[in-house]
Amino acid sequence: MTITGTAHRVGAHIDTDAIIPARFLVTTDSAELGANCMEGLEAGWIKRVKKNDIMVADENFGCGSSREHAPISLLGAGIPVIVAKSFARIFYRNGFNMGLILLEVGDDFKKLGDGDQLEVDADNGTIKNLTTGETITCSPVPPFMKEILDAGGLVEYVKNRLGN
Amino acid sequence: MPKTLAEKILQAHTDETVKEAGQIVRCKVSLVLANDITAPLAIKSFKAMGASEVFDKDKVALVCDHFTPNKDIDSAEQVKLVREFAHEKNITHYYEGGECGVEHALLPELGLVGPVDIVVGADSHTCTYGGLGAFATGMGSTDIAGAMALGETWFKVPPSIKVEIEGTPGQYVGAKDYILRLIGDIGVSGALYKALEFGGSVVNNLSIEGRMTIANMAIEAGGKVGLFPVDAKTLEYCVAAGRTGDSLLSADADAVYERIVKMDVTGMKPQIACPHLPDNVKPVDEVKNMKIHQAVIGSCTNGRISDLREAAAILKGRKANKNVRLIVLPATPTIWKQALKEGLIEIFMDSGAIVGPATCGPCLGGHMGILAGGERAIATTNRNFKGRMGSLKSEVFLSNPAVAAASAIAGEIIDPSAL
């Protein structure tokens, strides 16, 4: 799966209150949550995002709450992939479960500037920076998590298990 | 193979052999938890999975504590959905209204969580139960839905960091200060994907409530769990909560740790986490001229009876500054009643405090104490992210209950011993 879009760079320790503040948690609707994505970082942040754009972050992206509304809000905003130095644990697990692609690239995130055009190949784990011409690679998805992804997410995985 | 606390507990719940950090194991769970924010999504996923019944109606807890008593129509609709699901599936442990409290204070009190349990909760502060020697961790709603359906989930065996706390601290220093200092030292990603295992003479002398305060904030260092060994004190607490059959637990002497952090707290002053991250920690006397508009005493971190006693000892016979809204939220109905019986509620009200129901409310900027732009709060809660308690232009400082109470009186952040 290849995704091409504009990079939106954010900093370190972007917490779930920044991604979707508590006052918006009175719904589970992805479009509604998407419309308020990153409202806790900056009012109106979402206006700069187009469908299939890519979030690029420093370390510990998604720290804080277990709220699955955070990955849902990012997906609802049209962001299918996040590239970061590292992710917070619960967010990492939630991302896979929701079908949000998360790629950990360590310090290489610095090679992806705000506004750069990126081409992400999630299967091969490569990120081509079309603006600079540089390509970076990232750690493969652990086999067990690939099993969940291959099933089509955790909902489908459990559905199969219950079927057995 | 010698094992850490995390490895021992995981091993007790799986048929696979726990060999090393990084290994993925499937484990049976002891209890699955969700609240009024996260349960609606879990129920949606549960239905999408094609599940018809929960794995065990006695091992699912649904606690409506975040936006309750419901603040608006949308939150009332969410709780209605959870209530109907609980009734339909005959879930034993559904809590709302007058018997409901802040989940991580309520479940230990009811004896629903304890030593060597594996508890998964759709709430990041599920790690609180590590204070009782449970491998307890937060997950998202869909993971919780899977666990509700299957009675099991998967874990990556975490590497462990051992934290040894020794020494004799200064006055008005307690559990909250130890964990704030640790987070300040190792940073908000210092234990990312890892288990924090606590030990040392200070920890051994701590009450179970204090241990839960420390375990509660393991997540603020990125940790998967915050674990304490199970000693006689833990077992005594469990028996009082109505549990039977629990036994002692300690890590093997030659267990492998990724890192050992030694913390000497001799002479340490109360600690404050300054905006906007829990690792921006300073001793209280370095936080000067910080006028406050609100003080909040409560939450799953510091809303227990020992916390209220600590705050009341400072507030007794004194008045909160007229520019400060002092809000006290006992974390469960039992704690509320105990505080009433001991005369603490009267002390709070005489000091000018608003004493509210058992709710998470202001901790997450939910309701009952939202901050306006330019306002500053001191709180005994666990997070001070930007906008956490309201406006993006507000600020939250985290402290122990004595410091929050003293600051409410002074109108600015202050060491209680300077009152």
Side-chain angles (χ1 to χ4, degrees):
Chain A
M1 184 186 189
T2 305
I3 297 146
T4 308
T6 305
H8 297 280
R9 249 306 267 279
V10 292
H13 313 300
I14 296 296
D15 59 78
T16 49
D17 283 81
I19 300 167
I20 186 81
R23 63 184 181 280
F24 300 117
L25 302 183
V26 290
T27 178
T28 58
D29 181 75
S30 72
E32 231 176 287
L33 292 167
N36 295 300
C37 186
M38 304 302 282
E39 195 65 13
L41 184 74
E42 186 191 313
W45 187 91
I46 189 64
K47 287 182 194 147
R48 68 179 76 159
V49 173
K50 296 185 307 295
K51 191 170 166 49
N52 277 355
D53 276 359
I54 294 155
M55 179 86 88
V56 177
D58 198 333
E59 67 174 314
N60 200 23
F61 184 90
C63 61
S65 164
S66 69
R67 62 186 73 156
E68 211 163 80
H69 310 67
I72 293 174
S73 139
L74 288 155
L75 285 166
I79 298 169
V81 55
I82 304 177
V83 180
K85 181 174 178 179
S86 63
F87 293 95
R89 190 191 67 82
I90 304 176
F91 184 87
Y92 189 70
R93 211 170 153 134
N94 282 348
F96 279 97
N97 289 344
M98 294 293 98
L100 179 64
I101 300 164
L102 306 178
L103 300 174
E104 279 190 320
V105 296
D107 279 331
D108 277 353
F109 82 94
K110 289 177 187 161
K111 296 176 179 166
L112 312 170
D114 191 42
D116 286 356
Q117 286 299 305
L118 308 182
E119 189 185 287
V120 175
D121 183 334
D123 295 328
N124 296 323
T126 55
I127 301 155
K128 200 183 285 178
N129 188 334
L130 301 174
T131 305
T132 65
E134 203 170 357
T135 298
I136 60 176
T137 55
C138 52
S139 7
V141 174
F144 181 76
M145 297 181 79
K146 196 157 181 321
E147 212 180 301
I148 293 175
L149 281 178
D150 288 346
L154 188 67
V155 165
E156 293 303 316
Y157 175 84
V158 177
K159 201 191 262 183
N160 294 344
R161 284 281 307 273
L162 289 172
N164 293 340
Chain B
M1 171 204 144
K3 288 186 167 60
T4 61
L5 287 177
E7 289 163 348
K8 279 194 171 181
I9 302 171
L10 291 173
Q11 185 65 80
H13 294 263
T14 181
D15 297 333
E16 299 162 62
T17 304
V18 174
K19 290 185 223 131
E20 58 191 354
Q23 178 190 356
I24 286 176
V25 289
R26 287 188 177 88
C27 292
K28 298 260 179 240
V29 295
S30 315
L31 190 79
V32 183
L33 162 74
N35 60 48
D36 50 325
I37 290 179
T38 57
L41 268 174
I43 293 165
K44 208 172 174 181
S45 295
F46 184 85
K47 288 179 178 162
M49 286 167 179
S52 53
E53 297 302 327
V54 299
F55 80 107
D56 186 335
K57 68 178 184 55
D58 297 325
K59 291 184 178 173
V60 174
L62 299 172
V63 185
C64 296
D65 57 355
H66 276 63
F67 289 141
T68 55
N70 292 138
K71 65 161 184 152
D72 55 19
I73 297 168
D74 287 340
S75 56
E77 293 290 348
Q78 293 211 134
V79 170
K80 185 179 162 195
L81 197 148
V82 184
R83 186 189 306 125
E84 287 174 355
F85 178 80
H87 288 169
E88 189 188 305
K89 305 294 176 207
N90 286 317
I91 289 177
T92 314
H93 300 293
Y94 171 73
Y95 298 99
E96 191 196 339
E99 58 174 9
C100 189
V102 175
E103 51 197 322
H104 308 309
L106 185 72
L107 300 192
E109 200 179 87
L110 294 172
L112 293 179
V113 291
V116 201
D117 280 355
I118 289 186
V119 185
V120 291
D123 188 278
S124 59
H125 293 106
T126 302
C127 51
T128 308
Y129 318 133
L132 293 166
F135 188 102
T137 194
M139 289 180 179
S141 295
T142 298
D143 263 320
I144 288 307
M148 278 203 296
L150 300 174
E152 64 167 54
T153 192
W154 64 273
F155 297 101
K156 200 185 249 191
V157 177
S160 291
I161 298 176
K162 184 152 194 194
V163 182
E164 289 175 345
I165 311 178
E166 304 282 353
T168 314
Q171 211 186 354
Y172 299 114
V173 169
K176 181 67 163 287
D177 304 290
Y178 306 142
I179 186 64
L180 286 179
R181 160 87 185 275
L182 176 71
I183 297 165
D185 285 356
I186 70 172
V188 288
S189 52
L192 197 59
Y193 306 130
K194 300 180 175 87
L196 283 168
E197 189 179 307
F198 294 92
S201 59
V202 171
V203 162
N204 298 338
N205 290 330
L206 270 181
S207 70
I208 298 301
E209 295 196 352
R211 294 179 195 180
M212 287 199 276
T213 297
I214 290 179
N216 174 272
M217 290 190 73
I219 179 73
E220 308 318 330
K224 178 183 269 188
V225 288
L227 280 163
F228 285 76
V230 179
D231 61 9
K233 225 184 272 185
T234 324
L235 296 182
E236 200 181 310
Y237 179 97
C238 292
V239 169
R243 286 175 67 97
T244 51
D246 290 316
S247 49
L248 300 171
L249 174 74
S250 55
D252 290 325
D254 44 357
V256 178
Y257 294 94
E258 188 187 85
R259 182 181 168 195
I260 295 177
V261 178
K262 289 186 188 289
M263 215 167 93
D264 182 3
V265 296
T266 301
M268 192 176 94
K269 297 268 190 187
Q271 305 285 301
I272 308 285
C274 301
H276 289 292
L277 276 179
D279 65 1
N280 188 13
V281 176
K282 294 174 186 168
V284 64
D285 39 11
E286 284 179 24
V287 184
K288 293 199 187 306
N289 305 317
M290 215 49 87
K291 295 254 179 261
I292 54 160
H293 307 90
Q294 181 164 296
V296 176
I297 298 169
S299 87
C300 58
T301 317
N302 283 119
R304 299 186 183 82
I305 192 68
S306 52
D307 302 311
L308 300 185
R309 285 179 189 141
E310 210 176 282
I314 304 286
L315 291 166
K316 192 171 184 177
R318 293 179 167 127
K319 287 271 181 207
N321 186 288
K322 63 177 170 42
N323 299 316
V324 178
R325 304 176 297 275
L326 170 60
I327 301 170
V328 182
L329 305 170
T332 69
T334 304
I335 296 167
W336 224 108
K337 279 192 281 183
Q338 182 66 25
L340 186 67
K341 203 156 83 183
E342 292 181 21
L344 309 184
I345 301 291
E346 197 169 352
I347 293 172
F348 296 141
M349 296 189 78
D350 285 347
S351 73
I354 303 150
V355 185
T359 179
C360 302
C363 172
L364 75 158
H367 63 160
M368 297 196 181
I370 305 299
L371 299 173
E375 287 194 323
R376 188 178 286 141
I378 189 155
T380 68
T381 56
N382 41 43
R383 288 197 171 127
N384 58 351
F385 299 151
K386 194 177 168 197
R388 173 76 176 174
M389 205 175 270
S391 167
L392 281 179
K393 294 190 180 106
S394 64
E395 291 181 328
V396 179
F397 290 71
L398 306 177
S399 78
N400 74 34
V403 172
S407 304
I409 295 163
E412 62 180 49
I413 296 173
I414 191 175
D415 186 339
S417 57
L419 266 185

